[in-house]
Amino acid sequence: MDKKNFVCVRLSPSSRMTTKGAIAAAMHDLRATQPGYLEREKGCFWNLGDYSGLEELTDIRPDPDKIRKYLEDRLDDMKRRYEQTPRGKNGHTQRAKINARWFMQGIIVFSPEQLLHTETADIWRLSKKFLRELAEKLQTKIAWSAIHADETTLHVQFGLENLDKNGHAIQRRINTRRNVSERDHVMTPQQIQDLAGEVFGELGFRRGVSRE
């Protein structure tokens, strides 16, 4: 029987990431709101931003108002960048759509069997590396991240800005590239899994197996 040592990355459907949905997702991921099923003695450690040192990893429950203000500020910045981006052959600009999805949410899950042979600090260290490399490939920024040790199986939740440095939406361009133009493609889901396998391979993990 194959050794169960998988790492897998999943993105939440963009349909869930309305402005209200994104704020709720971040509140959950960062434990500003706390479900009743948590094993509180084990803790959740969280971070805002891109690990620049401005925000340190902490297990202190965040202030919901602080999280909301942080997300609203980032959303306002993305709207501004979107509306200033020239589009089409004529270089016209356009207003941000009311129903635009400004954030992407994701989760990194690990085989419990392999977690028995790893340290939480190493999982977090490589999670930061993975998210930095993913954000660089997508030409975007990390919005939030957290390592959840307070549930049955340790996992990592994260949020990315759904706008690249050129002012274009990202998540819809993460696709299999079938019948899709170069402009409408940035990365395949398989390439994200490959990246996870490469980064977490240091701890004996391998990429998840495709369902296809």
Side-chain angles (χ1 to χ4, degrees):
M1 182 179 294
D2 287 343
K3 183 179 179 181
K4 294 183 178 179
N5 58 346
F6 298 114
V7 56
C8 180
V9 182
R10 297 194 299 267
L11 295 179
S12 299
S14 61
S15 59
R16 297 181 186 175
M17 299 303 286
T18 60
T19 298
K20 183 178 180 179
I23 291 175
M27 292 288 190
H28 168 271
D29 292 352
L30 302 173
R31 295 298 191 244
T33 56
Q34 299 189 346
Y37 56 76
L38 301 180
E39 300 178 36
R40 300 182 190 281
E41 68 278 4
K42 294 184 178 180
C44 163
F45 300 88
W46 58 274
N47 189 91
L48 293 177
D50 60 359
Y51 319 115
S52 63
L54 298 177
E55 293 286 348
E56 297 295 335
L57 184 67
T58 179
D59 63 349
I60 299 173
R61 182 178 179 180
D63 179 351
D65 291 336
K66 175 183 176 181
I67 300 301
R68 183 180 298 276
K69 177 67 165 55
Y70 166 81
L71 294 173
E72 289 174 346
D73 287 347
R74 295 196 71 149
L75 190 150
D76 288 343
D77 177 69
M78 283 187 281
K79 283 183 178 180
R80 177 185 56 78
R81 288 193 287 123
Y82 181 91
E83 293 181 345
Q84 291 177 352
T85 299
R87 303 178 189 279
K89 293 181 179 180
N90 298 325
H92 66 277
T93 57
Q94 62 185 43
R95 296 291 300 274
K97 297 178 181 178
I98 295 176
N99 62 346
R101 275 40 174 174
W102 295 106
F103 294 98
M104 298 181 285
Q105 182 198 34
I107 183 172
I108 311 172
V109 295
F110 309 90
S111 293
E113 294 86 346
Q114 190 64 19
L115 284 174
L116 295 174
H117 306 287
T118 61
E119 297 290 337
T120 299
D122 288 328
I123 292 290
W124 181 248
R125 173 175 59 84
L126 292 182
S127 294
K128 291 193 296 182
K129 179 180 179 182
F130 168 77
L131 290 174
R132 283 193 186 110
E133 293 188 14
L134 179 61
E136 182 178 355
K137 288 179 181 295
L138 297 176
Q139 300 184 20
T140 190
K141 300 176 183 178
I142 302 166
W144 71 83
S145 52
I147 185 164
H148 290 181
D150 53 4
E151 296 185 48
T152 303
T153 303
L154 182 144
H155 58 277
V156 173
Q157 302 266 183
F158 63 89
L160 302 173
E161 291 187 358
N162 190 27
L163 198 72
D164 68 17
K165 66 179 184 180
N166 297 313
H168 299 290
I170 298 169
Q171 188 163 357
R172 65 177 180 81
R173 295 187 289 135
I174 300 175
N175 50 54
T176 57
R177 204 174 180 176
R178 296 169 185 160
N179 301 318
V180 174
S181 68
E182 179 76 23
R183 185 183 64 181
D184 292 327
H185 173 79
V186 64
M187 202 172 186
T188 68
Q190 292 77 16
Q191 287 172 326
I192 295 178
Q193 304 303 332
D194 290 341
L195 178 60
E198 292 169 8
V199 172
F200 290 97
E202 177 183 326
L203 299 179
F205 289 96
R206 54 179 170 145
R207 77 183 297 284
V209 178
S210 174
R211 295 179 180 178
E212 295 183 357

